[in-house]
Amino acid sequence: MHINHIKVRGYHLDVYQHVNNARYLEFLEESRWSFFEQFPLVEKIHGHNLAFVLVNININYRRPAFIQEVLEIRTKVAKIGTKSCTIEQTMYLKGTETLVADAQVTFCVLDQASHQSVVIEGEVRELLEQMSL
C-alpha cells in the first residue's frame, strides 16, 4: 500500500467552503501517480508502446473536507484481470480513521499503435503483482 498526503488549500474549495467533488478525483489521481513512481511501471509500459487508460471510476463521498485539513490517501492494487486492473483508494483525515472518500479505479493497458486493449502480461503484470503486496 502507498500513502500520500494532500493538504486542503483555499483553491480546492467550492462555494460551500468544502472541497469541491471534482477535486477529490484530482487528489486520487495525484496519489496514483505517486504510487506508480515507486515502481518503474510507467517507464515499462512506455518502453513497450503501451499506455494506461482509465476506463471506470466509482467514488463514494463520505465526509466533507475543509481548508487546512490534511488528507491521507491510501492506494493499492486490488485486482489484476486479463486486460484490466483495479486500484483501490481510500482517503482519511490524517492521523485518524475518519473516512472522507473511497474509490475503485479501473484501467486497461492500451497498445498505442492499434488503440486496442491488450492482455496484461510479462513485466507489466509482474510489476502490478508486486504493487498488490
Side-chain angles (χ1 to χ4, degrees):
M1 177 182 347
H2 174 71
I3 295 176
N4 192 45
H5 296 107
I6 295 178
K7 185 171 186 175
V8 176
R9 308 286 184 190
Y11 65 91
H12 296 138
L13 306 180
D14 61 18
V15 70
Y16 304 112
Q17 298 303 301
H18 58 69
V19 174
N20 181 275
N21 67 298
R23 291 290 184 167
Y24 289 94
L25 299 174
E26 293 173 356
F27 295 166
L28 294 173
E29 183 174 18
E30 172 62 31
S31 296
R32 286 192 305 277
W33 277 101
S34 178
F35 180 47
F36 290 154
E37 286 173 346
Q38 289 187 321
F39 299 86
L41 188 60
V42 174
E43 294 82 2
K44 284 285 183 223
I45 66 165
H46 286 180
H48 293 289
N49 202 32
L50 301 172
F52 285 130
V53 178
L54 193 138
V55 295
N56 185 274
I57 187 165
N58 291 299
I59 185 169
N60 298 299
Y61 302 98
R62 306 291 186 177
R63 175 202 180 271
F66 300 97
I67 195 164
Q68 301 298 319
E69 290 182 332
V70 178
L71 305 175
E72 178 176 294
I73 301 164
R74 304 172 189 172
T75 303
K76 68 179 182 178
V77 172
K79 178 183 171 192
I80 305 167
T82 304
K83 289 189 168 187
S84 67
C85 181
T86 302
I87 304 243
E88 180 180 285
Q89 294 186 281
T90 50
M91 186 180 302
Y92 295 90
L93 286 180
K94 183 180 176 186
T96 75
E97 289 300 311
T98 302
L99 186 62
V100 175
D102 57 87
Q104 297 285 318
V105 181
T106 304
F107 64 86
C108 70
V109 178
L110 184 81
D111 179 293
Q112 293 192 64
S114 69
H115 299 286
Q116 299 293 314
S117 63
V118 297
V119 173
I120 300 172
E121 58 188 0
E123 292 176 303
V124 173
R125 179 173 278 286
E126 289 171 14
L127 281 169
L128 286 169
E129 287 171 350
Q130 289 176 22
M131 295 167 75
S132 67
L133 299 177

